[in-house]
Amino acid sequence: QIYKAFDVTTDVERRKIVLLVAHLTPVKNYKSIDQKYAKINIQGALILQDWVKFPSAYSTAIAEGLVAMPVATMCRWARNSTGSRVIEAVLRSSTVPVKQKRKIVFNFSTHYTEIGCDKYGSHIVDACWEASNLEVKEKILREIRDSEARFQDSPFGRHVLRNCHLESYKRSPREWLVRMRGYEKRKQIMREIIEDGNVPAADAKKDDATGKKRSKRKKRVADEIEEDEIDTLFRQQDKEDKPNKSKKRAKKRNS
């Protein structure tokens, strides 16, 4: 019905649906949209934000529309109070496939400094961070690290630095990786707990054996997290103790 309202019929036109809805413009007037200066319509943006709440068969169209947009336009949207809400809604949607989210994250590559120091863009960097795996997160962090001075000069940029744990990464990339793995495991456990809580009682009885297996897996993962964190603490303690031990040896030699 939305495609019909905007006179969209072909696949090429469907890839433009995000811009058409955002400006409440039918496809015949698409060329008249000045993407650099045209104001995003609030009602159109709200339609897009609600659209991504629908099942993936429908919400994927919005993600594909964003990916098809020129990167320069995406960056302008990321720094816009209305446009940023559309991008963030897509990245945080539970129905948009991870593959589509990763394409959006990839499109922002080399532009994280540009958007990360902005009032609205900093929220997009946070959303991209949450939608990324550890490998992509490290790439984003390296880009941010190379422009750390700019981030430090911006109150919104400093917020991004804290969320990415840049100081931890600079001290020890390995410890940063351990911390991030623990965070990802905790997030997975919480997701499974929420999913288990949403299982109907009748289905829960059928899946009792499966539930026990899940509980064991959660316990094992929790133990791994605890071990990782304990190992990290011991390494930090060893670093602190080494200078003290050296001082004690020096005192003995002097005496």
Side-chain angles (χ1 to χ4, degrees):
Q1 290 301 314
I2 292 176
Y3 287 143
K4 186 177 178 180
F6 287 88
D7 300 326
V8 169
T9 55
T10 67
D11 288 339
V12 174
E13 291 172 349
R14 285 192 180 94
R15 284 195 287 271
K16 299 172 183 174
I17 193 64
V18 173
L19 285 169
L20 296 176
V21 175
H23 298 290
L24 292 183
T25 302
V27 72
K28 62 183 179 183
N29 297 334
Y30 173 78
K31 291 183 179 178
S32 66
I33 300 175
D34 189 335
Q35 295 177 15
K36 192 171 182 179
Y37 300 105
K39 187 177 180 181
I40 300 170
N41 187 287
I42 293 175
Q43 281 70 36
L46 290 172
I47 291 172
L48 293 172
Q49 289 175 66
D50 277 342
W51 194 337
V52 297
K53 296 174 185 176
F54 281 79
S56 59
Y58 305 101
S59 61
T60 301
I62 304 302
E64 290 175 347
L66 277 179
V67 172
M69 285 168 57
V71 175
T73 302
M74 276 189 65
C75 289
R76 278 195 294 273
W77 277 39
R79 300 193 307 273
N80 178 275
S81 60
T82 308
S84 63
R85 285 182 170 85
V86 176
I87 299 173
E88 188 174 1
V90 174
L91 289 169
R92 297 193 186 280
S93 170
S94 60
T95 63
V96 173
V98 173
K99 185 178 179 181
Q100 296 299 328
K101 292 180 182 180
R102 297 276 165 82
K103 287 180 180 179
I104 295 170
V105 171
F106 177 78
N107 280 2
F108 279 121
S109 296
T110 72
H111 296 280
Y112 283 108
T113 302
E114 175 188 346
I115 65 175
C117 297
D118 179 80
K119 178 179 180 180
Y120 304 108
S122 60
H123 294 288
I124 300 304
V125 176
D126 287 343
C128 287
W129 182 265
E130 290 295 325
S132 302
N133 58 24
L134 282 175
E135 183 181 356
V136 177
K137 280 181 178 177
E138 193 163 9
K139 288 179 181 177
I140 294 172
L141 192 57
R142 287 196 197 110
E143 183 179 334
I144 291 172
R145 180 192 60 187
D146 293 341
S147 304
E148 184 182 358
R150 284 186 62 183
F151 280 90
Q152 291 288 7
D153 289 340
S154 164
F156 311 109
R158 289 195 292 272
H159 172 79
V160 171
L161 295 181
R162 284 194 298 273
N163 285 356
C164 297
H165 305 285
L166 179 64
E167 286 302 319
S168 174
Y169 183 80
K170 285 163 62 179
R171 283 196 303 272
S172 171
R174 187 172 178 276
E175 286 183 15
W176 175 88
L177 194 61
V178 169
R179 175 183 286 189
M180 288 296 107
R181 279 177 181 159
Y183 174 74
E184 291 296 326
K185 287 175 182 176
R186 280 193 291 271
K187 197 164 69 169
Q188 179 62 29
I189 289 172
M190 289 303 299
R191 191 181 297 119
E192 288 184 4
I193 290 171
I194 291 169
E195 288 174 358
D196 288 349
N198 291 332
V199 174
D203 294 338
K205 289 180 180 178
K206 293 178 184 177
D207 295 337
D208 188 48
T210 306
K212 288 178 181 177
K213 289 180 182 177
R214 284 182 182 173
S215 298
K216 288 180 181 178
R217 187 170 71 250
K218 287 175 193 173
K219 187 178 184 304
R220 187 176 66 252
V221 170
D223 290 341
E224 288 173 3
I225 293 168
E226 189 176 355
E227 286 175 10
D228 287 342
E229 291 177 346
I230 289 172
D231 289 344
T232 302
L233 288 171
F234 273 120
R235 281 196 297 273
Q236 290 174 346
Q237 189 63 45
D238 288 342
K239 289 178 183 177
E240 292 173 1
D241 289 345
K242 281 180 182 177
N244 295 332
K245 289 178 182 177
S246 300
K247 287 178 183 177
K248 287 179 181 177
R249 290 196 199 100
K251 283 183 180 178
K252 286 182 180 178
R253 282 198 299 269
N254 292 334
S255 59

